[in-house]
Amino acid sequence: MLVKIFNFLFKSKSGYTTQGNLLNELKKHPNFRSKEEIQKSIDYGKTIHDNVLKKDEIVVISVPDLGRSETAEVTAWIKKNGDIVKSGDVICEVENSKVLMEFESYYDGIIMETCEVNVKLNPGDQLCKIKGV
């Protein structure tokens, strides 16, 4: 039954799409991960973070796109320069004309070079830097 549904959903002009063709189409999607990649990221049921910084490694955190490519601004910094953060900690509040969100750190490290509060920023502009410890 599932094979019939699969074949119906993935029918091409020249016949049915083969499993290899389907896999190649799926690999084109940026969020696609193979079974092997998923298995590598699992450690006894816990996901291994790809975002662990090495000591003294610095990463730039960019302003997220909150929709319609509008400008955004940081309304408040929860963490300041020199504060130690862990992945998932709220570091600031970012707002545009329609959305106010708490922005979380992707990394463990020390906050460096934060942007100014209440200044218009475009998506992709530097929000802050985090240095690995």
Side-chain angles (χ1 to χ4, degrees):
M1 180 66 169
L2 287 176
V3 173
K4 288 181 181 179
I5 293 171
F6 176 83
N7 287 337
F8 175 76
L9 292 174
F10 297 103
K11 188 184 249 188
S12 68
K13 291 180 182 176
S14 61
Y16 294 112
T17 304
T18 65
Q19 185 176 1
N21 289 340
L22 177 60
L23 186 59
N24 289 334
E25 286 298 315
L26 289 172
K27 285 181 179 178
K28 291 178 184 178
H29 192 279
N31 294 328
F32 174 78
R33 294 190 315 165
S34 68
K35 182 178 178 181
E36 292 79 23
E37 291 169 327
I38 293 170
Q39 285 299 86
K40 286 179 185 176
S41 70
I42 297 175
D43 180 25
Y44 302 107
K46 295 183 181 178
T47 303
I48 298 172
H49 298 286
D50 294 333
N51 45 5
V52 175
L53 297 176
K54 296 176 185 169
K55 183 175 180 168
D56 295 330
E57 180 182 4
I58 297 174
V59 67
V60 174
I61 304 298
S62 300
V63 175
D65 185 355
L66 299 178
R68 298 185 182 178
S69 299
E70 292 184 32
T71 60
E73 59 186 58
V74 174
T75 55
W77 280 100
I78 309 301
K79 301 288 186 175
K80 308 290 184 214
N81 285 337
D83 286 354
I84 295 175
V85 295
K86 296 209 179 278
S87 179
D89 287 354
V90 175
I91 57 174
C92 65
E93 293 177 350
V94 179
E95 179 178 25
N96 71 7
S97 63
K98 302 200 185 281
V99 177
L100 171 64
M101 69 174 271
E102 293 180 330
F103 190 82
E104 297 179 358
S105 174
Y106 304 129
Y107 303 96
D108 297 349
I110 298 174
I111 297 286
M112 301 175 58
E113 295 184 37
T114 57
C115 67
E116 297 292 323
V117 175
N118 298 324
V119 173
K120 298 287 183 193
L121 301 166
N122 293 314
D125 287 350
Q126 180 177 313
L127 191 62
C128 68
K129 290 183 180 179
I130 297 182
K131 179 180 176 182
V133 291

